[in-house]
Amino acid sequence: MSVGLIALLDDVAALAKVAAASLDDIAGQAAKAGAKAAGVVIDDAAVTPRYVTGFAAKRELPIIGKIAAGSLKNKLLILLPASLALSLFAPQAITPLLMIGGVYLCYEGVEKIYELVVPHAAHQHEAELASINPNAQSFEDQKVASAIKTDFILSAEIMAITLGSVPDSSFVAQAVILAVVGIGITAAVYGVVALIVKADDLGVAMAKATSPSPMGRLLRGMGRALVVGMPHFLKVLGLIGIAAMIWVGGGIILHGFEAYGLGAVSHFLHETAEAAAHSLPAAGGVVSWLVQAAGSGLAGIGVGLVTIPVISYVVTPIWRRLKPKPRSA
């Protein structure tokens, strides 16, 4: 009996070691995949704060909470099982679906530029599209719904990058890694966003410090700087978010074309980026990234400019015809 018990304990210990090694491997792969998706994560963090601009301070955190909850639902309940199913049964469908998401991002980003450049025409365009979302009950609902839609595309890209980073892992390991990355990135992004949008409140509290000490004066100065600077910072961050949508969307589309053997533009950008990096070796990596990002952004602007009239004159009329008409009283 004692020998059997010792043998059983040895087996349990061996299984525990294997499980621990597997967990370490999954954690390492999740960290690696998350790092590869860092570019999209930055875009997500830059895009989100503009959705709470203009709301009362007491509504900022609840709105971020709603968007974060929608983001988790996107990743865990929709994108995770969809990604696993596509990788098993229809891997060829992943690229076109991502390209459709890229087109949506380009459309959203260029529409925001259109709104900044020609506000009157942009408002008319938005009024024409208003009937596409008949379920929105308030301005806040519309903002949250818009943020979750944009997050869905960015989350799809994050999950696709994550899945592409662990192609040789088992089905269970892929599922765990996707879940870990999805939860971790959502917590990181919306935690940072919450800090950004509440920084002005922190500034007000710091500015009210009453201590006459040098530290008190420093706190008051920093508080006033936060209060004055945060509105401008949020505006700049909103512009970065717009640029990020266009850049990421254009990059998705170019990579998609490359996957189908139409990589002339991607190859040209890569060669141009390498040439620029060689000309400035001290900042080669930064220069290469800037050139490729600028090229992807220009491609995204082109796609967005084409998509806006297509949405206005093709998609919207078709939607209005297909949409159920309200019953007359």
Side-chain angles (χ1 to χ4, degrees), residues 98-99 101-107 110 157 242-258 265-266 269 292-304:
L98 284 176
M99 291 178 73
V103 170
Y104 173 78
L105 285 177
C106 294
Y107 166 75
V110 172
E157 181 68 1
I242 292 171
M245 284 194 289
I246 297 171
W247 161 48
V248 172
I252 292 172
I253 293 167
L254 290 179
H255 287 309
F257 281 130
E258 191 173 7
V265 176
S266 294
L269 281 177
Q292 296 198 59
S296 297
L298 289 174
I301 289 173
V303 171

Side-chain angles (χ1 to χ4, degrees), residues 82-98 160 163 167 174 259-260:
S83 299
L84 293 173
L86 285 173
S87 68
L88 283 176
F89 304 114
Q92 68 278 5
I94 294 176
T95 297
L97 288 174
L98 284 176
L163 192 61
Q174 286 181 339
Y260 289 116

Side-chain angles (χ1 to χ4, degrees), residues 274-288:
E274 283 191 343
H278 286 310
S279 66
L280 292 169
V286 174
V287 171
S288 175

Side-chain angles (χ1 to χ4, degrees), residues 14 17 35 58 60 154 182 184 214 246 259 274 282 292 298 303 316 319:
K17 288 180 181 178
K58 65 180 181 180
E60 290 173 343
L154 294 173
I246 297 171
E274 283 191 343
Q292 296 198 59
L298 289 174
V303 171
T316 302
W319 176 264

